[in-house]
Amino acid sequence: MRIDIITVLPELLESPFNHSIMKRAKAKGLLEVHLHNLRDHTPYKQGQVDDYQFGGGAGMVMMPEPLAILIELLQKERRYDEIIFMTPDGKLYDQKTSNTLSLKENVIIICGHYKGIDDRIRQHFVTMEISIGDYVLSGGELAAAVVVDSVGRLIPGVLNDETSALFDSFQDGMLAPPVYTRPADFRGWKVPEILISGDPKKVDAWRHEESLKRTAERRPGLLNDDVQE
Ligand code: 6GU
């Protein structure tokens, strides 16, 4: 999978994909992340990419021209499955969207800044608008990092059995069960007996039960398919 990220702050995204699972995904050739500084593609002087909004009001808007130039430059090289705009008024991001995206070949992610981007870019180029939650970030970069990380780990071949996404919270619509490691007795706080029983059937049943319990307590809406509780 190839992800092209359009940003005015590429520095913000230089580190997130160079560690741990993302690093491995790239090393295995399963994930490519390309950062593009929008300022390098503006036809305006001094790297201008934003301007005052028509109709007045505080806050700058990202101009359509630099975005269109860069998107079309990328589209000349390959066909993109999605052009995603990161914005707080986008569709709320969840594991289902992450799964869907992980099966795409080429994706562009546009990081919004200031008041957002000229609406004509949304109308004529953008195919998908994503928000990562009901709070406002100063730019789309950190949100884009969240999306790339969650998608990257789902690309077939990235995770091995040990780190398998099958047991993640949300993957089966439920929260993950509690986990324990050595020592079996820490300050008198003991690991649940079943986990050291050596009976895989009992362990599976216990984990399922704990998942259900946790989900019912913390996110009851998940059990009713009502993700937006
Ligand atoms: Cl995608 N962008 C910004 N600026 N703020 C957000 C967001 C995105 N998702 C939640 N808050």
Side-chain angles (χ1 to χ4, degrees), residues 150-208:
S150 67
V151 167
R153 61 199 300 286
L154 294 176
I155 297 171
V158 169
L159 298 184
N160 49 36
D161 280 352
E162 230 151 86
T163 49
S164 170
L166 289 175
F167 303 108
D168 286 348
S169 278
F170 298 111
Q171 202 55 43
D172 53 3
M174 286 204 291
L175 302 184
V179 292
Y180 298 86
T181 186
R182 289 191 299 170
D185 184 335
F186 172 61
R187 298 183 177 175
W189 303 327
K190 297 199 174 57
V191 168
E193 264 324 314
I194 285 187
L195 294 180
I196 25 191
S197 69
D199 183 337
K201 272 214 187 94
K202 276 190 185 162
V203 169
D204 277 355
W206 181 86
R207 285 184 174 149
H208 183 75

Side-chain angles (χ1 to χ4, degrees), residues 2-226:
R2 176 184 168 117
I3 303 178
D4 289 274
I5 304 182
I6 300 177
T7 169
V8 291
L9 284 172
E11 298 87 353
L12 263 183
L13 291 167
E14 260 147 36
S15 173
F17 316 123
N18 292 329
H19 306 278
S20 179
I21 290 169
M22 291 302 101
K23 183 179 177 180
R24 200 168 70 215
K26 285 162 74 177
K28 281 186 174 174
L30 298 170
L31 174 67
E32 274 181 46
V33 181
H34 297 264
L35 303 177
H36 305 275
N37 190 339
L38 189 60
R39 290 188 202 287
D40 296 339
H41 299 273
T42 182
Y44 306 105
K45 52 182 188 306
Q46 284 151 1
Q48 185 186 2
V49 292
D50 60 327
D51 209 336
Y52 298 101
Q53 55 178 314
F54 282 120
M60 308 292 272
V61 174
M62 287 167 77
M63 304 162 93
E65 188 86 29
L67 285 166
I69 287 173
L70 180 48
I71 293 168
E72 283 170 346
L73 185 77
L74 292 167
Q75 283 177 325
K76 259 201 283 183
E77 298 301 320
R78 63 198 67 79
R79 209 199 136 278
Y80 284 90
D81 303 300
E82 298 287 352
I83 300 180
I84 301 169
F85 174 45
M86 301 305 305
T87 174
D89 56 10
K91 180 174 177 279
L92 214 48
Y93 190 62
D94 59 15
Q95 193 65 31
K96 192 166 158 244
T97 309
S98 184
N99 281 329
T100 307
L101 285 177
S102 72
L103 301 171
K104 309 277 179 188
E105 212 53 57
N106 301 304
V107 168
I108 291 176
I109 300 182
I110 304 168
C111 301
H113 258 267
Y114 321 109
K115 274 272 167 208
I117 63 177
D118 187 289
D119 213 72
R120 287 166 291 188
I121 293 294
R122 295 173 81 154
Q123 292 165 29
H124 299 287
F125 287 98
V126 168
T127 60
M128 190 175 197
E129 304 189 325
I130 292 178
S131 161
I132 62 161
D134 289 335
Y135 42 82
V136 179
L137 303 167
S138 0
E141 282 77 10
L142 297 180
V146 165
V147 168
V148 173
D149 185 295
S150 67
V151 167
R153 61 199 300 286
L154 294 176
I155 297 171
V158 169
L159 298 184
N160 49 36
D161 280 352
E162 230 151 86
T163 49
S164 170
L166 289 175
F167 303 108
D168 286 348
S169 278
F170 298 111
Q171 202 55 43
D172 53 3
M174 286 204 291
L175 302 184
V179 292
Y180 298 86
T181 186
R182 289 191 299 170
D185 184 335
F186 172 61
R187 298 183 177 175
W189 303 327
K190 297 199 174 57
V191 168
E193 264 324 314
I194 285 187
L195 294 180
I196 25 191
S197 69
D199 183 337
K201 272 214 187 94
K202 276 190 185 162
V203 169
D204 277 355
W206 181 86
R207 285 184 174 149
H208 183 75
E209 208 45 50
E210 291 295 315
S211 267
L212 265 176
K213 212 158 73 187
R214 222 172 227 200
T215 310
E217 269 169 29
R218 299 178 181 195
R219 301 290 303 278
L222 290 178
L223 297 174
N224 315 317
D225 257 5
D226 169 23

